[in-house]
Amino acid sequence: MMKLAKYLKIENIYITDTCKDTGCFYGEFSSFLKERGLIDDIKKVKRLFVKRESIQSTGIGKGVATPHIFSSEFADFLLAAALIRNGLDFKAPDGRDVQLVFLIMSDDRDIGLHLKTLAHIARLTAGDDIIGSLKNARGAAEVYATLMEKEKAILN
């Protein structure tokens, strides 16, 4: 069974107030990954996310997006999250700005895990308003705790 806690770490939760567009967001997020020592090439990772977004919006609705990329840049499966406090237009099908982004990254050996993670996140965010629960989160630890609480509710 998929569990966020196995893959999502508090230190891999990025929080920002706003970005002018998804390209800006992916650039800032890639820099965040580099600072954490999780990637080497900021430009390559940003380019992969921007390319993925240009194929089709990763916004899934209800203020959530799930961009996912494959690259040799990732030795292991990596799940990160971002909270964009003021929202960002990801061209989501419901027209809502995205405030919660789950970023899924790995080399091409983990396609099955990508799919399981995408399905799990869709289930996690399908219920009540997860964005409303995150509005007052003061930091990564609170975002993480809220996500774990939401996950516990769907697993029971």
Side-chain angles (χ1 to χ4, degrees), residues 49-136:
F49 275 121
V50 169
K51 181 179 177 187
R52 171 62 191 90
E53 201 66 45
S54 72
I55 294 169
Q56 182 179 359
S57 168
T58 60
I60 62 172
K62 294 189 175 185
V64 180
T66 55
H68 45 284
I69 60 171
F70 298 97
S71 172
S72 57
E73 190 72 21
F74 307 103
D76 297 306
F77 182 84
L78 176 60
L79 176 63
L83 179 64
I84 306 169
R85 293 192 189 280
N86 298 320
L88 183 60
D89 184 5
F90 268 72
K91 313 274 186 274
D94 64 359
R96 267 181 78 175
D97 280 356
V98 166
Q99 290 180 273
L100 178 62
V101 186
F102 289 96
L103 301 107
I104 305 164
M105 302 153 274
S106 72
D107 65 12
D108 59 7
R109 294 173 299 174
D110 288 320
I111 294 170
L113 188 52
H114 268 245
L115 295 174
K116 284 179 187 165
T117 304
L118 287 166
H120 186 72
I121 291 167
R123 189 170 161 222
L124 178 75
T125 59
D128 62 347
D129 185 21
I130 196 164
I131 300 304
S133 304
L134 292 168
K135 279 235 184 284
N136 299 318

Side-chain angles (χ1 to χ4, degrees), residues 25-55:
F25 168 74
Y26 287 130
E28 288 181 10
F29 181 75
S30 297
S31 294
F32 170 79
L33 292 177
K34 172 77 172 170
E35 288 167 16
R36 305 216 86 55
L38 297 170
I39 64 168
D40 292 321
D41 190 336
I42 293 171
K43 287 180 181 168
K44 178 180 181 183
V45 172
K46 176 188 176 184
R47 189 171 57 247
L48 287 167
F49 275 121
V50 169
K51 181 179 177 187
R52 171 62 191 90
E53 201 66 45
S54 72
I55 294 169

